[in-house]
Amino acid sequence: MKKIAVRNLRLCTKDCLCLYVCPTGATDTENSIIDADKCLGCGSCSDACPSGAISMVPLVYPPQQVKSERVRKAVERLAVNKAKEEKTALQIAEQTEDGNLQRLMKAVARSSRLVAEDLMREGGYMLPQSSASLRLVRELRDNPPSPSFPEKEATEILSRLKANDASTDGKGKYRCSVCFSEFDLDSGEEKTCPMCHASDDKLEKI
């Protein structure tokens, strides 16, 4: 399996041993992000890194584990509640003058975010190239939750990543996220829900 090196910038201690062992210079970049086009996947930089900041990751990830609609909707509701808890805790932390309460609320906010992230992963959003993850990014881009939402970056993500758990020929069983009906499609058939006529990102392969 082809792999490439990825550097975690938060772990990098700037020891730069990776610069001396990389045969192509892929690790020597101005922004510290390893050049994927130059990387051979030899793993020399990962082996040499004393801080464990470089990992070898698959160039092509496996498909996301399929989650039932019932599970996905349940964890999404829980994740939304955790997001609300985080927002409330941060508001309390900003408004209070009590140092102990402020630290407590920041800890609550942090824990709520971590739980929400775990819930989202459990709901089928583990991999960035899963159809569920890309559908979420598309929905947020089309309906920004706030004026500061990075629509440009979301559009770039959608242009770069393609769902790897969707059928390449259209054949298979699908579930509509609009009316929740399930149906089969044969190769060459138009990907449209026979009940409500939703299409494309509204259809989830199951």
Side-chain angles (χ1 to χ4, degrees), residues 170-175 182-186 189-190 192 194 206:
K171 186 176 182 179
K173 190 174 185 66
Y174 288 82
R175 179 186 294 111
E182 297 182 2
F183 52 92
D184 294 315
L185 286 178
D186 292 325
E189 273 191 283
E190 183 180 0
T192 303
I206 56 176

Side-chain angles (χ1 to χ4, degrees), residues 98-150:
D98 186 328
N100 290 328
L101 180 59
Q102 185 179 62
R103 287 189 290 273
L104 176 61
M105 288 298 100
K106 286 184 177 180
V108 169
R110 177 62 177 162
S111 64
S112 296
R113 168 166 291 197
L114 291 174
V115 172
E117 290 175 353
D118 284 341
L119 286 167
M120 293 301 285
R121 284 192 286 269
E122 185 61 31
Y125 300 91
M126 173 68 78
L127 301 176
Q129 68 274 29
S130 72
S131 58
S133 297
L134 294 177
R135 182 174 60 250
L136 178 61
V137 173
R138 188 177 294 106
E139 290 174 355
L140 291 173
R141 181 200 61 183
D142 296 342
N143 301 284
S146 69
S148 61
F149 183 79

